[in-house]
Amino acid sequence: EAYARRQNVTVYGVDQDEESGEQTKGRLGRFIEGVEGVKFKGIKKNFGDLNLGDFEGSQVDFVLGDLGVSSHQIDLPSRGFSYSQSLTSSPLDMRMSTSSNLTAASICNEWGEEVIRKVLVELGDEDWRVAGKIANSIVRRRPLETTGDLVDAIASVVPQWSKRSPRKGALKTTSRAFQALRVAVNDEVGVLERLFGEVLPDITREGGAVAVLTYQSMEDRVTKRAFTQHYERGGEIRMVRKESIEKDPWGNDVVEGEKVWEVINRGGEKASKEEVEVNSRARSARLRVAKRGKRDK
């Protein structure tokens, strides 16, 4: 819209990982280079720490949030995100930013068994009993130093495959465990809560759109709740759960303030068969889009 009006347009690329940020800059640069009135600016920062100052004090028209870990990070052995057999000697790291001291090895070697179990259940959607077995195996096998050590700890208490459900086999269980540890290492729940509760409502102009790509159930739950349950009153953003909303005599919701987001594609959109064929990692992706509502100042 802004470009069509021949105004100057700035495309911002945000990533806390310097290597991923440079890769994004290179990809976007191919499309932007030579386009009159359009420039690119990279921001090395965590999503949850953004503010209007990062965008030169101006609210933005559109935000695309690509959550979770990138393919670039997964494929780098030194990052420790992958449980691939070819990368089992990789350090048990999983940090998206090296500015943090907490690693997956720290969690596996220093945290208590019950705390690790809770991480696997709450951040990896793991069964409580299976999570207990994995946590116990991790503690018994300390110290764990490589991704292979973690894979072996899980494989020792989980069947290679299950007749009843592929979910209970070693591959899916290992995937969930790596996901849970990655989310814990990078405080991804806290980041998303700040992103949706503070950052996006502040930096997105009224009527501006936000599109979010999620890749696992935790990300999708947080995104869905934010788009449907965030209300603003007097500039304050708060979450109002559906079950706590009162109804008027005609069955309409009675909530003080304005809804922060107007959902565009209720239920979200999954990748098409053609998209998955081109990029198999898109299989778990879900796109949710919402428009910034009227501000209640």
Side-chain angles (χ1 to χ4, degrees), residues 12 14 47 50 55 59-67 195-196 199-201 203-205 208-213 227 261 287-290:
Y12 295 92
V14 181
F47 292 157
L50 292 169
F55 305 97
Q59 291 176 327
V60 300
D61 298 293
F62 175 71
V63 177
L64 173 61
D66 191 0
L67 304 185
L195 177 68
F196 288 114
V199 175
L200 290 178
I203 69 171
T204 310
R205 70 167 177 82
V210 171
V212 179
L213 277 167
F227 281 169
W261 305 106
L287 176 68
R288 293 186 182 274
V289 184

Side-chain angles (χ1 to χ4, degrees), residues 125-272:
D125 292 321
E126 188 55 83
D127 175 82
W128 181 254
R129 288 173 296 178
V130 175
K133 292 179 181 179
I134 295 172
N136 179 261
S137 178
I138 287 172
V139 171
R140 284 190 291 104
R141 287 170 170 261
R142 287 174 171 170
L144 278 67
E145 298 177 350
T146 68
T147 54
D149 292 338
L150 178 56
V151 169
D152 291 342
I154 297 168
S156 69
V157 293
V158 174
Q160 187 63 32
W161 61 282
S162 171
K163 289 182 179 179
R164 293 184 358 190
S165 170
R167 175 183 167 83
K168 298 181 184 296
L171 184 62
K172 293 289 187 181
T173 303
T174 302
S175 174
R176 291 192 296 274
F178 269 68
Q179 170 193 301
L181 290 171
R182 187 204 82 214
V183 171
V185 166
N186 298 287
D187 186 27
E188 292 181 35
V189 174
V191 169
L192 290 181
E193 287 176 348
R194 295 197 305 276
L195 177 68
F196 288 114
E198 301 170 22
V199 175
L200 290 178
D202 187 38
I203 69 171
T204 310
R205 70 167 177 82
E206 287 186 18
V210 171
V212 179
L213 277 167
T214 68
Y215 295 89
Q216 42 105 337
S217 56
M218 181 278 293
E219 294 170 347
D220 195 56
R221 281 196 302 268
V222 174
T223 303
K224 180 182 178 181
R225 282 202 303 263
F227 281 169
T228 58
Q229 298 179 7
H230 274 173
Y231 288 81
E232 181 176 23
R233 186 186 183 198
E236 296 277 333
I237 307 291
R238 73 191 195 286
M239 179 174 283
V240 181
R241 298 193 179 278
K242 186 176 180 180
E243 57 270 20
S244 67
I245 296 177
E246 297 181 359
K247 300 284 186 179
D248 66 17
W250 298 273
N252 300 311
D253 293 344
V254 180
V255 184
E256 293 183 339
E258 298 284 347
K259 228 176 179 183
V260 177
W261 305 106
E262 176 189 334
V263 177
I264 302 298
N265 62 339
R266 196 167 297 279
E269 184 177 345
K270 298 283 284 182
S272 67

Side-chain angles (χ1 to χ4, degrees), residues 16-62:
Q16 64 179 324
D17 185 307
E18 190 166 354
E19 291 178 349
S20 295
E22 285 299 315
Q23 188 181 55
T24 300
K25 182 179 179 180
R27 285 180 174 176
L28 288 175
R30 294 200 301 269
F31 297 98
I32 294 172
E33 188 176 356
V35 180
E36 184 182 352
V38 181
K39 64 179 180 179
F40 176 84
K41 181 179 179 181
I43 301 174
K44 184 181 179 296
K45 207 169 188 180
N46 187 295
F47 292 157
D49 297 328
L50 292 169
N51 57 62
L52 269 179
D54 295 311
F55 305 97
E56 302 170 46
S58 299
Q59 291 176 327
V60 300
D61 298 293
F62 175 71

